Amino acid sequence: MEITNCIAVKALSDALQKNMAGVIRGKDEVIQKVVVSLLSNGHILLEDIPGTGKTTMAKALSKSISCDFARVQFTPDLLPSDLTGINFYNQKDGEFVFRKGAIFTNILLADEINRATPRTQSSLLECMEERQASVDGTTYRMDEPFLVIATQNPIEIQGTFPLPEAQLDRFLMRLSIGYPDEKGELEMLSARTTSDPLADLQAVCGKEEIIAAQKIVRDVKVSDAVKQYIIDLAHASRDNDKVRLGLSPRGALALMHASQAMAAVNGRDYVLPDDVKQVAPDVMCHRVLVKGHQIGSAGKTARDIVMQILDSTQALVR
């Protein structure tokens, strides 16, 4: 499939979503957001209770693309060098040789990321933001595309290390899969009675097509009025009296890039305010820190506040 315009990007997106929907039943909206993040060249944090399909979602995406995939189970004894790599002395050649770590892949599944220590978590910051890793004074570039899909369980806190705001800001979106509806759960049980659909999943595209699609997405037009709308949303989050930390400039940029991808997924080469509204909760909520930790004095969560901001902020687009 040749990717030359937004119509081709939409066709690629539809193929990926259809392929993944054969494994993850009844979660079309979440699957779409995962694909949008991929095309935005942004990382994903899947936060949900155990057993809802977080790891399966990551594997379904990786198997839908013909590219390298690595899974790392994060534990308290995981070291930064396990991720970035290490220089070891090769006695045969009489020199130090760099052995690449798990991050040198196309799609990295960081399973239960909050079980690793802050030191290990922080080793992902450089590669997530700058697509490179520095080891012993040498910088190594990541292969393209590069996507981190991290999972965590928000309920269980014993033996975990919560992600700091600086790390959360590296994730384009925080998504929750949630329980399937009755129809979706019935379809899942029927599909897995005698076999595992994930095991039979075939790739529908290669990494070259993903890279081409990402370049098309960055060329999607964003009018000055839409940019102003994004800025208004960012400032509204910062000026809210129930918010301790609002949307950062990096968050505003992430919101624009996600909106570009959503427009392309819908087959358009220009962004509408509706594209911004569609991705805003998943881009903004984990970047907005409510006073009183998780819940504000009026019992408002970050999502409640973001939804209020979206309702009260008008896009002046003619």
Side-chain angles (χ1 to χ4, degrees), residues 45 47 112-119 121-122 152-154 156-168 171 294:
L45 178 62
E47 184 179 77
E112 295 186 297
I113 188 173
N114 56 334
R115 289 197 175 279
T117 62
R119 179 187 177 195
Q121 291 177 11
S122 64
Q152 68 175 5
N153 173 9
E156 191 174 0
I157 60 174
Q158 187 173 1
T160 62
F161 303 87
L163 295 176
E165 283 71 24
Q167 181 114 17
L168 286 173
F171 290 99
Q294 297 299 318

Side-chain angles (χ1 to χ4, degrees), residues 19-25 53 55-57 59-60 63 71 187-202:
N19 207 45
M20 294 173 65
V23 177
I24 307 294
R25 305 281 179 162
T55 302
T56 302
M57 177 75 78
K59 286 184 174 180
K63 294 198 71 172
R71 174 185 177 180
E187 290 177 352
M188 180 197 70
L189 294 178
S190 300
R192 293 172 181 261
T193 302
T194 58
S195 63
D196 183 2
L198 185 62
D200 300 326
L201 201 64
Q202 300 296 317

Side-chain angles (χ1 to χ4, degrees), residues 79-300:
L79 298 175
S81 58
D82 295 327
L83 297 175
T84 60
I86 191 171
N87 284 304
F88 72 97
Y89 186 73
N90 188 322
Q91 292 184 338
K92 181 179 179 181
D93 297 332
E95 61 182 6
F96 282 93
V97 178
F98 179 62
R99 179 181 292 159
K100 291 183 176 181
I103 62 172
F104 289 94
T105 186
N106 296 123
I107 298 180
L108 173 67
L109 171 56
D111 221 353
E112 295 186 297
I113 188 173
N114 56 334
R115 289 197 175 279
T117 62
R119 179 187 177 195
T120 300
Q121 291 177 11
S122 64
S123 65
L124 287 174
L125 292 176
E126 183 182 8
C127 69
M128 290 177 68
E129 179 67 18
E130 302 173 48
R131 265 63 178 184
Q132 66 182 32
S134 299
V135 181
D136 294 338
T138 302
T139 300
Y140 302 90
R141 296 293 303 176
M142 316 301 297
D143 291 336
E144 293 186 19
F146 177 66
L147 173 70
V148 174
I149 303 178
T151 70
Q152 68 175 5
N153 173 9
I155 305 300
E156 191 174 0
I157 60 174
Q158 187 173 1
T160 62
F161 303 87
L163 295 176
E165 283 71 24
Q167 181 114 17
L168 286 173
D169 205 23
R170 259 62 172 191
F171 290 99
L172 178 75
M173 290 189 185
R174 182 176 66 183
L175 300 172
S176 175
I177 299 174
Y179 290 122
D181 57 23
E182 187 174 335
K183 179 183 176 182
E185 197 159 13
L186 181 59
E187 290 177 352
M188 180 197 70
L189 294 178
S190 300
R192 293 172 181 261
T193 302
T194 58
S195 63
D196 183 2
L198 185 62
D200 300 326
L201 201 64
Q202 300 296 317
V204 298
C205 68
K207 60 183 180 181
E208 295 81 9
E209 292 161 293
I210 297 298
I211 294 170
Q214 290 174 341
K215 291 179 180 178
I216 296 295
V217 164
R218 287 300 169 92
D219 288 333
V220 170
K221 300 179 184 66
V222 186
S223 67
D224 290 340
V226 172
K227 290 177 184 175
Q228 186 62 53
Y229 178 49
I230 292 173
I231 292 173
D232 290 344
L233 292 175
H235 281 261
S237 72
R238 299 167 195 166
D239 298 337
N240 192 293
D241 59 3
K242 295 183 177 65
V243 172
R244 184 155 60 95
L245 184 67
L247 191 68
S248 67
R250 176 166 46 205
L253 188 61
L255 182 55
M256 184 181 72
H257 289 161
S259 302
Q260 288 176 293
M262 182 57 75
V265 163
N266 289 321
R268 281 183 279 101
D269 63 355
Y270 57 92
V271 176
L272 295 175
D274 285 346
D275 298 316
V276 180
K277 292 178 182 178
Q278 198 168 352
V279 298
D282 303 300
V283 174
M284 293 179 66
C285 285
H286 63 289
R287 293 179 164 94
V288 171
L289 189 62
V290 179
K291 290 179 180 178
H293 302 291
Q294 297 299 318
I295 299 180
S297 57
K300 299 295 184 181

Side-chain angles (χ1 to χ4, degrees), residues 1-3 6-24 28 31-32 34-36 38-39 60-66 201-206 209-210 213 264-267:
M1 183 188 301
E2 188 176 2
I3 309 297
C6 288
I7 300 300
V9 173
K10 182 180 187 304
L12 174 64
S13 170
D14 289 346
L16 285 170
Q17 292 181 55
K18 182 179 179 181
N19 207 45
M20 294 173 65
V23 177
I24 307 294
D28 294 345
I31 292 173
Q32 183 190 55
V34 168
V35 174
V36 164
L38 171 68
L39 297 179
L61 177 63
S62 66
K63 294 198 71 172
S64 297
I65 306 169
S66 181
L201 201 64
Q202 300 296 317
V204 298
C205 68
E209 292 161 293
I210 297 298
V265 163
N266 289 321

